[in-house]
């Protein structure tokens, strides 16, 4: 098994008949999926998503893939292929198109409709090419000849993409599962996978998210009884939280609302936008007069109302979190039923638990994956992945889309079906895999760090910035105002300590005066009189003292004023 090596260097020049594969996101994390394929100096990008921040990344809106490796070759990009319309696959597209707006965006009908709506906010009109499963003609982009296959996922219109090049054939599943009874009757095209297997798949990139889960992913239709029970027994309002793109789940909620005589309102900009798109294109079947504006729904009897909102991952600014913290005009109360109809993205467990506790405190009954069968994953479990390996019989496997443990579990599944371990490529973001003369090998590594979006600023926030923000939030801040006699180098007056977020006795910092005096004395003996250098020394010494005295590490902001 090829493992990623931290000591890998810049990759060698790619032979003209070789194909280079580099994931700039999505390996070692659930999110910001982006894979770059390079041949003969031309580039093809599959997906360009975002990762949502965790608690230790305060103030960050989303996290992008690092475009550094391709930035000086934007003119060489033939197309961006989108496998489906989830944020972790399309959310980064606006930021890439900001750098070159005319890159063709290739995708299915629903996926393109969702990205076009998203791009309106960025004032970008994309150059799009709509494709569907079975398409082969008119899908050649430079040296990349593409074929699209239907895959079943938790959003309609998902596609796998086969990429034919002179170096070989690559099959990328995108996100997929093998539900044999999907609500839209559109199943994953295993016959197509088998046909490509007969042709000879050189590298098979497979979704790893559920590789640790044994067996087969439950069918969507098996959730209907549990969702129906919620609507049959709820005494007052039903408030459903879901991803703003989970059309299948929202269809089930609409059907049950209609069956039990409830009207429905969508809450949240992304939910309103996406469900409008899905309804306009016919992916969401809505009975007449079922959906009403929120202000109209609020005037109705509570047992006749269903609200569908965002916030299933505990996102602090989403509707459900704000309801839990009483920061939303919808006041959750006794008798309300909250249906959390989504999975838990790794890293969000604490945030979701806090939301559940908050809602329960106000008297709501919270129904979630942990206590009812109200969600199934959109990803293939181990049994389905093994089926795919046996059907496709690829020459190489490259697990994608998952944290490292998921990638490793997927690699082990491939080996269990008889694949040679040295033909399973276990990579992380930035690791370069070259397919040359039918053999895929790790050849180097390129930059693939996190790029943080904070408001309108892309890349301005760094790991150091986040460390400072965490310190401010967790440890507090102490501003030390020291007036120093320029002639003697000593304190002209006792220093002031201005403290925020750091509980202490008003006289707790008195011993720090001696620390500052010693620092100034040392500086004078070393001939240091520059106020900036003095600030650095005071900040370091007072910080060490505070750590010893309080076992806390507040941020120390020294300000030296020459008297």
């Amino acid at each position: 098994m090829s493992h990623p090596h931290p000591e890998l260097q810049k990759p060698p020049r790619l032979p003209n008949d070789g194909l280079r594969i580099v994931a700039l996101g999505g390996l070692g994390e659930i999110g910001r999926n982006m894979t770059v394929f390079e041949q003969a100096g031309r580039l093809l990008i599959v997906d360009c998503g975002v990762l949502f921040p965790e608690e230790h990344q305060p103030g960050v809106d989303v996290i992008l893939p690092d475009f550094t490796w391709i930035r000086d070759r934007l003119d060489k990009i033939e197309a961006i292929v989108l496998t489906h319309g989830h944020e972790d696959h399309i959310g980064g597209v606006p930021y890439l198109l900001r750098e070159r707006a005319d890159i063709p965006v290739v995708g299915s009908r629903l996926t393109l409709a969702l990205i076009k709506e998203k791009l309106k906010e960025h004032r970008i009109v994309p150059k799009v090419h709509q494709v569907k499963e079975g398409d082969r003609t008119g899908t050649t982009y430079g040296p990349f000849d593409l074929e699209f296959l239907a895959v079943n996922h938790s959003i309609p219109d998902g596609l796998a993409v086969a990429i034919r090049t002179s170096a070989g054939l690559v099959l990328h599943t995108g996100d997929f599962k093998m539900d044999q009874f999907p609500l839209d009757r559109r199943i994953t095209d295993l016959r197509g996978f088998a046909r490509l297997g007969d042709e000879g798949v050189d590298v098979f990139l497979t979704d790893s998210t559920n590789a640790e889960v044994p067996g087969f992913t439950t069918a969507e239709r098996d959730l209907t009884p549990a969702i129906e029970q919620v609507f049959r027994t709820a005494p007052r309002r039903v408030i459903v939280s879901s991803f703003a793109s989970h059309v299948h789940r929202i269809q089930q909620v609409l059907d049950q609302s209609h069956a039990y005589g409830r009207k429905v309102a969508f809450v949240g900009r992304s939910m309103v936008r996406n469900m409008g798109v899905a309804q306009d294109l016919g992916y969401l079947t809505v009975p007449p007069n079922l959906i009403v504006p929120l202000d109209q729904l609020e005037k109705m009897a509570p047992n006749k109302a269903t609200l569908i909102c965002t916030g299933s991952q505990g996102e602090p600014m989403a509707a459900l979190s704000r309801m839990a913290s009483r920061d939303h005009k919808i006041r959750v109360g006794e008798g309300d039923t909250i249906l959390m109809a989504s999975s838990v993205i790794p890293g969000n467990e604490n945030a979701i638990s806090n939301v559940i506790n908050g809602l329960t405190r106000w008297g709501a009954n919270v129904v979630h994956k942990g206590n009812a069968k109200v969600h199934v994953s959109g990803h293939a479990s181990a049994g389905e992945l093994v089926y795919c390996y046996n059907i496709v019989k690829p020459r190489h496997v490259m697990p994608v889309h998952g944290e490292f443990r998921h990638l490793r579990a997927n690699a082990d599944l491939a080996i269990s079906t008889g694949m040679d371990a040295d033909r399973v490529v276990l990579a992380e973001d930035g690791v370069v895999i070259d397919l040359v003369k039918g053999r895929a090998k790790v050849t180097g590594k390129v930059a693939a760090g996190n790029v943080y979006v904070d408001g309108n600023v892309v890349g301005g926030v760094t790991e150091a910035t986040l460390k400072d923000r965490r310190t401010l939030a967790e440890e507090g801040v102490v501003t030390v105002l020291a007036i120093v006699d320029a002639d003697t180098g000593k304190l002209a007056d006792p220093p002031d300590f201005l403290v925020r977020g750091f509980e202490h006795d008003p006289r707790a910092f008195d011993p720090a005066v001696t620390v500052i005096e010693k620092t100034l004395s040392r500086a004078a003996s070393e001939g240091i009189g520059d106020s900036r250098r003095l600030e650095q020394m005071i900040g370091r010494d007072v910080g060490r003292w505070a750590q010893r005295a309080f076992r806390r590490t507040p941020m120390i902001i020294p300000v030296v004023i020459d008297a």
Side-chain angles (χ1 to χ4, degrees):
M1 196 186 312
S2 298
H3 285 269
H5 301 289
E7 69 274 10
L8 286 171
Q9 302 299 314
K10 185 179 171 186
R13 183 181 168 278
L14 179 67
N16 278 339
D17 61 348
L19 175 68
R20 179 160 286 173
I21 305 171
V22 182
L24 295 180
L27 303 191
E29 63 207 351
I30 306 282
R32 63 176 202 144
N33 298 282
M34 179 177 182
T35 311
V36 181
F37 297 86
E38 176 181 356
Q39 188 178 38
R42 308 300 293 178
L43 305 175
L44 180 79
I45 294 171
V46 174
D47 292 328
C48 184
V50 293
L51 179 66
F52 292 101
E54 295 182 26
E55 291 173 341
H56 64 274
Q57 295 160 327
V60 173
D61 296 322
V62 293
I63 305 167
L64 297 176
D66 187 347
F67 301 148
T68 303
W69 182 60
I70 59 171
R71 186 162 277 120
D72 62 349
R73 298 183 293 162
L74 296 173
D75 59 320
K76 303 290 195 294
I77 300 172
E78 295 285 353
I80 305 169
V81 176
L82 302 177
T83 57
H84 64 283
H86 278 151
E87 281 295 304
D88 61 333
H89 292 257
I90 70 171
V93 172
Y95 300 94
L96 187 55
L97 293 187
R98 277 188 196 179
E99 304 200 23
R100 183 190 149 199
D102 66 340
I103 302 173
V105 179
V106 182
S108 62
R109 188 163 169 249
L110 178 62
T111 305
L112 290 183
L114 293 173
I115 192 63
K116 282 195 276 191
E117 283 296 315
K118 173 178 284 295
L119 286 167
K120 282 180 184 175
E121 297 175 16
H122 295 260
R123 295 188 174 86
I124 297 172
V125 179
K127 179 181 175 183
V128 297
H129 180 189
Q130 185 174 311
V131 293
K132 63 181 186 303
E133 56 264 32
D135 278 1
R136 177 85 194 272
T137 55
T139 58
T140 300
Y141 297 88
F144 307 100
D145 176 26
L146 309 184
E147 179 181 352
F148 297 93
L149 299 93
V151 290
N152 167 238
H153 186 40
S154 52
I155 186 173
D157 245 7
L159 296 171
V161 57
I163 305 169
R164 291 179 176 85
T165 72
S166 61
L169 169 61
V170 173
L171 176 57
H172 191 317
T173 64
D175 286 4
F176 85 112
K177 59 179 173 174
M178 287 160 50
D179 189 340
Q180 300 303 299
F181 306 100
L183 300 179
D184 61 2
R185 301 187 180 279
R186 183 177 176 274
I187 62 172
T188 292
D189 185 6
L190 294 180
R191 294 176 66 190
F193 279 26
R195 173 175 50 77
L196 290 166
D198 288 343
E199 182 180 333
V201 172
D202 291 285
V203 186
F204 190 26
L205 286 78
T206 53
D207 176 4
S208 306
T209 313
N210 269 7
E212 291 185 308
V213 181
F216 289 72
T217 301
T218 307
E220 294 276 350
R221 73 174 189 179
D222 291 351
L223 302 185
T224 302
I227 295 174
E228 188 269 341
Q229 184 183 357
V230 167
F231 281 87
R232 178 163 39 84
T233 59
R236 286 172 52 86
R237 296 179 297 186
V238 176
I239 301 172
V240 181
S241 76
S242 170
F243 292 119
S245 53
H246 204 330
V247 178
H248 299 315
R249 189 78 71 256
I250 288 163
Q251 182 70 65
Q252 290 170 306
V253 170
L254 294 182
D255 292 345
Q256 294 301 328
S257 295
H258 184 58
Y260 285 92
R262 291 172 178 266
K263 297 292 186 185
V264 178
F266 292 123
V267 182
R269 191 176 51 155
S270 59
M271 184 67 75
V272 171
R273 179 186 69 196
N274 287 3
M275 290 309 112
V277 168
Q279 186 179 355
D280 290 346
L281 297 181
Y283 291 94
L284 196 65
T285 305
V286 183
N289 306 316
L290 178 69
I291 295 174
V292 298
L294 179 59
D295 56 357
Q296 186 177 327
L297 190 83
E298 288 177 317
K299 297 171 186 170
M300 300 178 66
N303 64 343
K304 296 295 180 186
T306 300
L307 295 106
I308 303 178
C309 68
T310 54
S312 61
Q313 298 304 306
E315 306 96 315
M317 296 310 294
L320 198 67
S321 297
R322 291 170 54 208
M323 290 178 204
S325 60
R326 278 286 198 263
D327 183 30
H328 198 284
K329 67 176 181 177
I330 295 165
R331 311 294 277 185
V332 171
E334 200 72 41
D336 285 335
T337 301
I338 314 293
L339 173 58
M340 297 182 75
S342 289
S343 62
V344 177
I345 293 176
N348 294 348
E349 294 86 353
N350 288 347
I352 294 170
S353 179
N354 289 340
V355 168
I356 292 172
N357 282 321
L359 294 165
T360 307
R361 187 178 295 116
W362 304 121
N365 174 34
V366 184
V367 181
H368 55 89
K369 186 184 176 185
N371 61 18
K373 200 171 180 179
V374 291
H375 174 75
V376 296
S377 174
H379 303 272
S381 295
E384 292 150 270
L385 293 168
V386 166
Y387 255 73
C388 288
Y389 293 135
N390 284 331
I391 288 168
V392 177
K393 294 194 180 307
R395 296 189 180 102
H396 301 86
V397 166
M398 180 179 168
V400 295
H401 196 286
E403 295 180 346
F404 198 79
R405 62 194 174 97
H406 305 125
L407 304 179
R408 177 61 190 259
N410 199 355
D412 290 341
L413 291 175
I415 293 167
S416 74
T417 67
M419 288 223 39
D420 288 342
D422 65 348
R423 287 181 175 264
V424 178
V425 183
L426 203 54
E428 290 182 285
D429 294 343
V431 170
V432 177
I433 294 96
D434 288 346
L435 176 65
V436 180
K437 294 184 169 53
R439 194 66 202 256
K441 291 182 178 174
V442 172
T443 61
K445 195 170 187 181
V446 300
N450 287 344
V451 175
Y452 299 106
V453 179
D454 184 349
N456 292 323
V457 178
V458 178
V461 174
T462 64
E463 293 295 341
T465 313
L466 292 178
K467 185 179 177 185
D468 287 349
R469 288 181 179 179
R470 287 193 295 272
T471 301
L472 286 166
E474 298 162 10
E475 302 285 350
V477 58
V478 178
T479 302
V480 182
L481 184 61
I483 300 174
V484 177
D485 188 310
D487 296 325
T488 65
K490 295 181 178 179
L491 288 169
D493 286 301
D496 287 329
F497 298 95
L498 309 174
V499 180
R500 288 286 181 275
F502 184 84
E503 293 302 322
H504 72 98
D505 179 272
R507 304 186 63 81
F509 277 85
D510 286 358
V513 176
T514 307
V515 174
I516 295 168
E517 287 172 343
K518 286 180 179 176
T519 304
L520 292 174
S521 176
R522 191 174 80 249
S525 68
E526 295 175 10
I528 298 169
D530 173 62
S531 60
R532 179 156 184 176
R533 288 284 307 280
L534 292 176
E535 287 173 351
Q536 289 173 340
M537 293 172 72
I538 290 171
R540 186 175 62 244
D541 292 351
V542 173
R544 286 173 179 164
W545 170 82
Q547 197 167 19
R548 287 195 307 270
F550 306 113
R551 295 187 181 179
R552 295 271 299 277
T553 53
M555 180 176 285
I556 308 295
I557 302 177
V559 179
V560 170
I561 299 172
D562 291 334

